Amino acid sequence: VCLLVMETMYRLTMVLQWRMIDVLMWFYRATVIITAPLVIFHLQKRGHFTLYEASYWAIALIPYYCITFHRVLLKGIRFAWGDVLLIVAAIVLSASLSMVLWSLASFAFVAFRLKKIKLSRIVFMVVGVAVLLAIAYQFNVRTHKAVDDLIDADNWKTFFAAFIFMAGNRVQRILVAWTVGWTHPFYGVGPGALVSYAMKHFERSDFSVMGISAVDFKLSQPATNVFLQLWAETGIIGTFAYLALLFYVFRKIAKKTYAIPIQAALWITM
C-alpha cells in the first residue's frame, strides 16, 4: 500500500511538476495562518497546528523552509518575502528552538545544492544561530534549563542527564529500534510490529542509559528514524527495497531544478 501511494504521488508530481510545489506551499501557509488564532486565543500554549507538539510541526514544515529558501536563493527575497515572514511567524508561534535549527539546516542544504555557498552566508548563519540561541535562552524555559544544566554538569552522568532532557525520549526510542533490528537483522519482526514486539519482550528499564531515562519514554512509541524502524520491522531486505525505491525516484528527478527543494527536504527529514 505504501509503495502504491508513493508511486501515485510520484506520478502526480511528474504531471503537475512545478504546480505541485505551489499546491504544497498553499497548504503550509494555511497551517501557519490557522495556528495563529489558536495561540492568540490560548487554545494552544505553543503553536503546533493539529500535530502532537511544536517540534512535530517544526519537522512537518521542513519542505516549506526548503521551497521558500530555494526561491530566495534563485530569485531574491522580494519573490518570497511573504513566506519568509510566515516562517518567522511560525517560529514565534511555536517558540520552538528545533524549528529554528531545521529552518537553518534547510537554508544551508538548499544553498549547497544550488552551489550558492558563500562566506557571507556562512557568517550570517553562524551569527543567526548565536542570536537565536541567545533569545531562546532568555525567553524559552526549556532551553534555559537545558543550557544551565549543561553548564553546571560536573561529570559525564549529569551532562548526559541534561542531554536526555534536551532530546526527550528520542534517544531511547532509537535504542529500542536498534536493539530489535540487531536481534532480527534479515527479516525483522514484521511490518508495523515493532511496538508490539518491544512491549512483549522488553521492559522500560532495559533502555535506561547510565541509569537515566526520559520521563515520557514508553515502549509503545515508534522509533524516531525511518531507517531504523524499517530495519527493525522488515530487516535488511525491506530496508534495501525502500532504499532502491528512493534511488529510483532521485534518479528520475536528479536534473529537474524545481525538485531540488523536495530533494533537500527529504534528505533533511531522514
Side-chain angles (χ1 to χ4, degrees):
V1 174
C2 291
L3 294 178
L4 180 61
V5 171
M6 292 178 70
E7 177 67 16
T8 301
M9 293 302 296
Y10 164 72
R11 293 186 181 279
L12 180 62
T13 303
M14 290 297 100
V15 172
L16 294 177
Q17 296 190 8
W18 60 269
R19 290 171 293 175
M20 188 67 180
I21 304 298
D22 287 335
V23 171
L24 287 172
M25 290 296 278
W26 279 111
F27 169 77
Y28 290 123
R29 290 164 185 156
T31 69
V32 180
I33 294 169
I34 292 171
T35 301
L38 296 177
V39 176
I40 292 170
F41 293 108
H42 304 290
L43 297 174
Q44 293 180 357
K45 185 176 181 181
R46 296 172 60 203
H48 51 82
F49 188 46
T50 60
L51 302 176
Y52 177 67
E53 61 180 17
S55 61
Y56 283 52
W57 190 35
I59 295 172
L61 288 177
I62 287 175
Y64 187 39
Y65 317 142
C66 291
I67 296 169
T68 298
F69 295 138
H70 182 258
R71 292 179 175 181
V72 169
L73 290 169
L74 280 184
K75 299 180 180 181
I77 188 67
R78 66 183 182 276
F79 289 94
W81 64 268
D83 290 310
V84 172
L85 289 178
L86 283 176
I87 290 174
V88 173
I91 291 172
V92 173
L93 291 169
S94 65
S96 172
L97 180 60
S98 63
M99 186 175 291
V100 174
L101 299 177
W102 284 126
S103 59
L104 290 173
S106 300
F107 179 85
F109 199 104
V110 171
F112 173 79
R113 186 68 177 78
L114 291 174
K115 299 180 180 179
K116 290 184 177 288
I117 294 290
K118 296 180 180 179
L119 180 60
S120 60
R121 286 176 180 149
I122 295 175
V123 172
F124 170 78
M125 287 188 60
V126 172
V127 173
V129 169
V131 170
L132 291 169
L133 285 175
I135 294 173
Y137 177 77
Q138 192 67 32
F139 297 103
N140 188 295
V141 176
R142 182 183 176 90
T143 303
H144 192 102
K145 176 174 172 36
V147 172
D148 284 349
D149 287 346
L150 288 174
I151 293 173
D152 296 338
D154 55 2
N155 55 55
W156 279 108
K157 188 169 183 177
T158 54
F159 183 88
F160 189 76
F163 174 75
I164 288 289
F165 174 79
M166 294 178 64
N169 55 37
R170 294 174 179 84
V171 173
Q172 289 167 284
R173 289 162 66 182
I174 286 173
L175 286 176
V176 172
W178 173 264
T179 302
V180 175
W182 192 253
T183 306
H184 302 274
F186 297 107
Y187 303 104
V189 294
L194 172 60
V195 168
S196 59
Y197 181 91
M199 293 178 67
K200 182 178 179 180
H201 292 86
F202 300 113
E203 297 292 335
R204 183 177 181 274
S205 58
D206 293 337
F207 298 96
S208 297
V209 183
M210 297 174 61
I212 299 168
S213 177
V215 294
D216 58 346
F217 166 64
K218 299 176 183 177
L219 290 172
S220 58
Q221 297 164 321
T224 58
N225 182 281
V226 65
F227 295 110
L228 283 176
Q229 181 100 16
L230 274 170
W231 182 37
E233 295 185 345
T234 64
I236 294 173
I237 295 175
T239 304
F240 272 99
Y242 181 74
L243 291 174
L245 179 63
L246 287 181
F247 179 76
Y248 169 75
V249 173
F250 275 121
R251 280 288 300 272
K252 284 287 185 179
I253 61 176
K255 297 182 179 180
K256 294 178 171 60
T257 304
Y258 70 85
I260 286 177
I262 303 302
Q263 295 176 10
L266 181 59
W267 282 116
I268 291 169
T269 52
M270 289 192 297

